Amino acid sequence: MKQINKKEILRCGLVFLVAIAISGLTAILPIYFSVPRIVYANSVPTFLTTMTLGPISGMAYAVIISLVINNVGMGSGPVIYTLLFQILEAVTTGIIWSKKGRFILRYIITVCCLTFLIKPFSYLFYYLFNYDSLKNRSIFLYIFEMYKEYLTMGWMDTILLYATGILAAYLIMRGINTITKNENKEKEQ
């Protein structure tokens, strides 16, 4: 029978508490202040949860926080294609961060994958849920046109969003890991 690891439970609890606090702040701050997209995108908590606890936890967090924020009137309503894309972001990030070590390599791969490789899925999800409003355009033509426009104009904002969000989540993750390790050492003495 496996023993319950108190240090791991503490670490998981801290990750969820910090993620919830960040989500709350990113939901409230734009109401009172003009904030950059990096702040209100709410990607840092999902990245933190995914990078620390894995893709399933990240997916669950994205779904739960979306439901909570939308049910308390802070969100823009449940937008299923956006939620599906957030789940895909969590899965991709979780798979890349499932191995330890080589921070710089994983960081670059994650930022590039999210910015360039999974972006067409956002257009696919949008198309599937808004087919009627797209004037019977072919799915492949729509995705091609949108991705072409994205590559000529929009990718720089996206790469900045992912680069800063993943870096912030990584730094928070390292802080939580340091706190839980130090607390465990203090209890052993």
Side-chain angles (χ1 to χ4, degrees):
M1 184 178 236
K2 272 188 158 180
Q3 227 179 336
I4 296 174
N5 185 344
K6 292 180 182 177
K7 182 176 95 173
E8 189 62 21
I9 292 172
L10 175 64
R11 188 174 76 89
C12 292
L14 278 173
V15 167
F16 278 113
L17 285 175
V18 169
I20 289 168
I22 294 170
S23 291
L25 284 173
T26 58
I28 293 171
L29 282 178
I31 294 172
Y32 300 104
F33 305 103
S34 175
V35 294
R37 183 169 185 239
I38 292 168
V39 173
Y40 74 77
N42 202 22
S43 57
V44 174
T46 304
F47 290 142
L48 172 63
T49 307
T50 302
M51 291 165 57
T52 308
L53 307 175
I56 302 295
S57 297
M59 290 172 18
Y61 183 82
V63 170
I64 291 167
I65 204 67
S66 177
L67 291 173
V68 168
I69 286 177
N70 286 313
N71 282 328
V72 297
M74 302 294 282
S76 57
V79 182
I80 191 68
Y81 57 86
T82 303
L83 182 57
L84 288 173
F85 189 71
Q86 289 173 335
I87 291 169
L88 184 59
E89 286 177 330
V91 169
T92 304
T93 305
I95 290 170
I96 295 169
W97 286 85
S98 63
K99 302 287 183 196
K100 301 298 177 206
R102 299 185 183 183
F103 162 73
I104 298 295
L105 181 62
R106 285 185 297 152
Y107 176 75
I108 292 168
I109 290 171
T110 307
V111 170
C112 290
C113 280
L114 295 177
T115 303
F116 298 110
L117 295 181
I118 72 163
K119 187 61 177 181
F121 288 97
S122 71
Y123 304 127
L124 171 66
F125 297 147
Y126 183 84
Y127 183 90
L128 294 174
F129 288 95
N130 295 286
Y131 174 77
D132 294 335
S133 66
L134 295 173
K135 303 175 187 161
N136 297 327
R137 291 164 70 186
S138 121
I139 189 169
F140 298 110
L141 182 61
Y142 173 75
I143 292 171
F144 176 77
E145 288 173 353
M146 295 304 293
Y147 193 59
K148 182 180 172 186
E149 183 178 326
Y150 170 74
L151 290 176
T152 57
M153 298 195 316
W155 69 271
M156 287 187 271
D157 289 339
T158 304
I159 203 166
L160 179 64
L161 178 74
Y162 286 133
T164 56
I166 293 167
L167 181 61
Y170 176 77
L171 294 173
I172 295 166
M173 178 180 71
R174 290 294 303 256
I176 289 172
N177 288 344
T178 301
I179 289 168
T180 56
K181 287 178 184 175
N182 288 343
E183 184 168 312
N184 192 42
K185 288 178 184 175
E186 289 174 10
K187 287 182 179 179
E188 289 175 359
Q189 292 177 356

